[in-house]
Amino acid sequence: MTSGRYRTLGIPMQKRSARRKLVMAAYAVLLLLCGSTFVMHLLYGNNELLPFSVVINGSIVVGIFLFGGLRGFGGRWGLIKPFANRPPCPEPPMVTLVRLQLSPESLLQANESDWRNDEREIARRDRAHDQAFQAVGIGVMLTLLLAFCAFDPRQQLISEKVLRNVLVLVALMTSVLVLTLPSAIILWNEPDMDAG
């Protein structure tokens, strides 16, 4: 978490309990999106890609704008500093010119602590990614196993249609975890913070 960015949707996030509620609410919405997309897939088959893009875009919105940790759209969003540990992308010249006219130049200088992670933050990031990639790895391996079974004509235990549908569901849920889980782990585990 970073100083000065303790609010999401107007709700203070200094308390661990508030961040855990945010994580649970975000995953409830994403699970609902996955479930409705899967139902649409069952009803309409593979011809409709719009529901899948809704789930992926919903995961991107949660990962970038709500949780943070990911860099997107030229800025830093969410509760967690970007994991990349790189300075923000420069603004287009016209935006800089307008900002120079509205603000003193000293206010336009990017504060390095806003984007650079210290040793503790890097260790926290690495630990969260390690935990997240174990879960994502299980999802990828399960996806591969289901794909091999679904496309193997000798497999007779479960129908091909059921296997392909389960494959779609597991792949969809794994893609959601790829985009959100490291940040969610950090938000879930960070202790309460000072309000000042």
Side-chain angles (χ1 to χ4, degrees):
M1 305 267 306
T2 60
S3 61
R5 296 224 178 210
Y6 295 135
R7 287 188 169 287
T8 294
L9 304 173
I11 302 168
M13 291 289 148
Q14 288 93 349
K15 296 279 187 197
R16 178 189 284 181
S17 60
R19 291 189 307 273
R20 286 184 172 183
K21 288 175 187 172
L22 174 72
V23 169
M24 288 188 296
Y27 276 116
V29 169
L30 290 172
L31 187 60
L32 203 81
L33 281 174
C34 283
S36 60
T37 298
F38 185 65
V39 169
M40 297 256 319
H41 169 74
L42 291 176
L43 295 176
Y44 300 111
N46 292 329
N47 299 332
E48 191 60 48
L49 291 177
L50 178 64
F52 295 104
S53 68
V54 169
V55 170
I56 299 304
N57 288 326
S59 301
I60 290 171
V61 166
V62 167
I64 291 176
F65 297 109
L66 197 60
F67 291 171
L70 305 173
R71 284 176 47 144
F73 305 105
R76 182 203 161 298
W77 307 87
L79 292 167
I80 301 173
K81 284 184 194 177
F83 296 134
N85 215 24
R86 291 190 310 254
C89 300
E91 293 177 332
M94 185 56 90
V95 173
T96 303
L97 179 64
V98 170
R99 288 185 62 178
L100 275 173
Q101 292 172 350
L102 298 175
S103 302
E105 191 171 328
S106 62
L107 294 177
L108 294 177
Q109 301 297 327
N111 186 357
E112 194 171 292
S113 67
D114 286 342
W115 59 267
R116 185 175 299 280
N117 293 295
D118 61 22
E119 292 87 12
R120 187 193 76 80
E121 291 167 329
I122 290 171
R124 179 190 66 186
R125 174 198 67 189
D126 292 346
R127 197 170 37 257
H129 277 87
D130 183 51
Q131 292 171 344
F133 289 143
Q134 290 176 26
V136 169
I138 291 170
V140 169
M141 297 307 288
L142 187 56
T143 300
L144 284 172
L145 178 67
L146 289 168
F148 285 131
C149 291
F151 296 105
D152 184 0
R154 299 169 292 171
Q155 188 278 119
Q156 300 292 322
L157 296 175
I158 302 172
S159 76
E160 180 181 331
K161 185 176 181 178
V162 169
L163 273 173
R164 288 187 182 189
N165 287 332
V166 172
L167 173 62
V168 166
L169 183 62
V170 169
L172 193 61
M173 291 172 41
T174 301
S175 66
V176 167
L177 293 179
V178 165
L179 293 167
T180 61
L181 194 55
S183 299
I185 289 171
I186 290 172
L187 291 174
W188 189 268
N189 290 327
E190 279 294 292
D192 290 346
M193 293 175 222
D194 296 331

